[in-house]
Amino acid sequence: MSGRRRGGGREGRRAAREAAGALQRDPYLTRSVPVYEVLGEEGLATIEEHAEILLERVGVDVVDYPEGLEIFRAGGAEVDGTRVRFPRGLCRSLVTEHAPASFTQRARNEQRSVVIGGDHTVFAPVYGPPFVRDLERGRRYATIEDFRNLVKLAYLSPNLHHSGGTVCEPTDLGVEVRHLDMLLAHVLLSDKPFMGSVTHPDRARDTVEMAKILFGPDEVGPGRPPVVLSLINANSPLSWDFNMLGSAKVYAEHGQATVLSPFVLAGAMAPVTVAATATQILAEAMSGMAFCQMVQPGAPVVFGTFASSMSMQSGAPTFGTPEPALVLLVVAALARRLGVPFRSGGSLTASKVPDAQAAYESAMTMYPALLAGTNFVLHAAGWLEGGLVAGYEKFVLDADQLGASRALLGGPALDENALALDTLLETGPGEHYLGTAHTLANFETAFWRSELADNTSFEQWDEGGGQDAVQRAHTRWKERLDAYEPPAIDDAVAEEVRAFVDRRTHELSGSGG
């Protein structure tokens, strides 16, 4: 693991500490505005009915996981070979009767713990890209150094509430051991909540064991607030595999939270229409959430979805288009009717670089997520090239824009200061408000301000170097990394976690089996 990096000067280190400390005051968003509904009761009930028909008549396949088939059978499902069909209402009843409507995911710094569900929104960074990109070095395979850098940037970003999971794939490490170094980075380089490994049930078990070292063995288990949240993807359409369900079982039996999330490109992995895609997503997500309740009633789950469309001309995935936004809004309403938290993506783009296309597609995917009342927004910062790339500049640009969400979801205030009646009465026609006592008292906090946007005159901008947003973002992430200082952690705990990683790495690399 890379050691502490010095530099950046006193002001840079102070700015980094202030950025990291901001979340201690408010580690997640709480919405005060209503969610946006696109379907009424009749439409949502029809989709629910069709999902039940789909689960009953077609069901789901469970691939290479006989134990999973037996869990479904014992839970009341009908198993025929690898096909699992569900009596009408079975999945829904298991979820509504047992799964919590919201839960707190603990962070090792308790002030960074997040509430997932209800009126709350949590932002987490990009997840899964095998490549990274920055302005100087271009597009390249991601390494463990890149992974650590992105964890540090998430820690230093006050508008990201969560450290995330696989913020990029460190391809310089073997698949069998890389999860250990990724988890170690989340544990030591940040004190925000993090996500666990799901690429094999044994890696999920490693995650749980590391969590027990970090939080204490008595703090990790059923009946305790979860300390790990993990992403379990269905193989759409209507299929689950050993790695996903096996990992979900490990987490559920230890009381840890999972996001059961169909991954859908409409037109290829689901029908082309909004209603039919939402039907399939509901069926897949309910089957996964029901599985977790069969393993451990009361296990915290999140109804997840990643739904986008594809070009019918090229077959490439597209982002920022209207139809996936409608799917998101419909599925969010279906999650509320089930009474469980909801997850979606945000800041998604097919653009290869952080250009105008990346900006408008990211906005067009983030704002529906906010309007839908999404509780956990994954890929909120850094996503490029359809998820193949984590962009350094895109990461800090996205994280900056997330700051506006607090003001948007908070809604308009109606207290005496907000109504400002005295000021309205005292300022006559044709006069301005620049010098009023009300403006002078509020000007520092009246409007959200971007840290990266340039609002100066042309002459000031030109004299300052004439940089565009990407160039400014490049400077910003380098300054932040240069000024980074790791959060405090008990030395004994840190050493025990390192020792676990060293031992498991030795075992998995061949010397120990």
Side-chain angles (χ1 to χ4, degrees):
M1 191 192 74
S2 58
R4 178 179 300 187
R5 298 179 62 184
R6 294 290 186 180
R10 179 184 301 173
E11 289 303 310
R13 289 193 293 273
R14 180 179 62 81
R17 286 193 300 271
E18 288 177 353
L23 276 177
Q24 294 187 24
R25 296 190 296 271
D26 192 1
Y28 50 88
L29 303 184
T30 300
R31 65 184 304 119
S32 297
V33 296
V35 296
Y36 189 73
E37 301 281 4
V38 294
L39 281 183
E41 167 66 28
E42 182 178 355
L44 293 170
T46 298
I47 290 173
E48 290 172 339
E49 172 66 13
H50 286 190
E52 293 288 353
I53 294 172
L54 186 60
L55 287 170
E56 183 179 39
R57 296 186 186 178
V58 178
V60 299
D61 270 348
V62 176
V63 182
D64 297 327
Y65 191 30
E67 184 182 4
L69 291 168
E70 289 307 310
I71 290 170
F72 274 123
R73 190 195 309 274
E78 299 170 3
V79 178
D80 180 12
T82 61
R83 183 64 58 87
V84 181
R85 295 180 177 87
F86 302 89
R88 184 73 61 95
L90 174 63
C91 291
R92 176 171 293 273
S93 64
L94 284 168
V95 174
T96 57
E97 291 175 17
H98 299 295
S102 67
F103 58 89
T104 297
Q105 184 189 353
R106 292 180 58 199
R108 71 173 176 87
N109 177 352
E110 292 287 355
Q111 292 178 298
R112 307 287 179 99
S113 298
V114 295
V115 176
I116 298 177
D119 293 327
H120 307 301
T121 295
V122 173
F123 292 133
V126 63
Y127 185 109
F131 299 97
V132 293
R133 170 183 286 277
D134 72 73
L135 194 59
E136 286 183 355
R137 291 172 288 177
R139 184 184 191 267
R140 62 192 188 282
Y141 278 106
T143 66
I144 190 61
E145 180 185 8
D146 292 307
F147 188 95
R148 291 167 181 153
N149 285 342
L150 293 174
V151 169
K152 292 174 184 178
L153 289 175
Y155 167 68
L156 294 171
S157 299
N159 300 317
L160 284 168
H161 314 118
H162 205 278
S163 194
T166 307
V167 289
C168 65
E169 282 281 356
T171 59
D172 55 335
L173 300 178
V175 172
E176 73 280 359
V177 297
R178 67 177 59 158
H179 67 288
L180 296 165
D181 285 272
M182 290 192 285
L183 289 165
L184 188 64
H186 283 301
V187 167
L188 298 183
L189 303 180
S190 176
D191 60 2
K192 295 180 182 180
F194 61 91
M195 302 177 75
S197 178
V198 296
T199 51
H200 191 280
D202 287 345
R203 294 164 198 163
R205 292 186 188 95
D206 285 339
T207 304
V208 171
E209 291 306 310
M210 290 179 70
K212 288 180 177 179
I213 296 171
L214 187 62
F215 290 91
D218 295 335
E219 296 298 316
V220 179
R224 303 294 300 162
V227 299
V228 175
L229 174 69
S230 301
L231 178 63
I232 307 295
N233 281 129
N235 297 322
S236 301
L238 299 167
S239 181
W240 296 97
D241 65 25
F242 164 70
N243 287 332
M244 291 292 102
L245 281 191
S247 296
K249 176 181 180 292
V250 170
Y251 288 121
E253 63 191 5
H254 287 92
Q256 302 308 297
T258 49
V259 182
L260 285 303
S261 192
F263 186 103
V264 168
L265 293 178
M269 301 152 72
V272 296
T273 57
V274 170
T277 295
T279 299
Q280 180 182 306
I281 289 171
L282 177 59
E284 291 175 344
M286 282 202 302
S287 68
M289 290 187 288
F291 174 83
C292 291
Q293 303 312 308
M294 292 174 185
V295 172
Q296 178 66 54
V301 293
V302 178
F303 184 152
T305 184
F306 183 100
S308 196
S309 54
M310 63 178 292
S311 169
M312 293 288 98
Q313 289 70 46
S314 70
T318 56
F319 299 94
T321 53
E323 294 82 9
L326 291 172
V327 170
L328 192 158
L329 290 160
V330 170
V331 176
L334 296 169
R336 286 192 293 274
R337 290 162 68 90
L338 272 173
V340 291
F342 177 65
R343 170 259 165 167
S344 76
S347 299
L348 310 177
T349 180
S351 181
K352 315 308 178 282
V353 295
D355 58 4
Q357 178 185 341
Y360 66 68
E361 288 181 349
S362 293
M364 284 294 291
T365 52
M366 176 56 71
Y367 274 88
L370 298 177
L371 293 172
T374 304
N375 302 116
F376 187 72
V377 182
L378 195 57
H379 314 303
W383 171 291
L384 279 173
E385 202 178 320
L388 289 175
V389 172
Y392 278 75
E393 288 80 23
K394 178 71 158 44
F395 194 101
V396 294
L397 286 166
D398 287 339
D400 175 62
Q401 285 298 299
L402 294 177
S405 304
R406 189 180 305 275
L408 178 68
L409 297 185
L414 287 175
D415 57 11
E416 183 177 349
N417 178 67
L419 291 168
L421 181 59
D422 290 342
T423 301
L424 289 168
L425 295 175
E426 292 169 2
T427 307
E431 298 183 14
H432 63 74
Y433 291 87
L434 291 175
T436 65
H438 184 265
T439 298
L440 294 174
N442 288 277
F443 79 95
E444 289 187 313
T445 58
F447 307 115
W448 173 78
R449 289 182 291 177
S450 167
E451 294 182 1
L452 290 173
D454 186 285
N455 298 304
T456 62
S457 68
F458 170 80
E459 290 76 15
Q460 291 171 313
W461 171 78
D462 189 52
E463 185 177 339
Q467 291 189 330
D468 64 19
V470 177
Q471 292 169 318
R472 292 192 296 273
H474 180 75
T475 299
R476 177 58 57 88
W477 73 254
K478 295 185 76 173
E479 288 176 345
R480 285 189 171 179
L481 288 183
D482 206 34
Y484 167 84
E485 294 185 11
I489 186 171
D490 181 88
D491 289 340
V493 171
E495 287 307 311
E496 189 175 354
V497 173
R498 289 191 183 98
F500 177 86
V501 169
D502 290 343
R503 176 175 63 81
R504 287 292 290 145
T505 300
H506 179 74
E507 293 171 354
L508 295 170
S509 296
S511 298

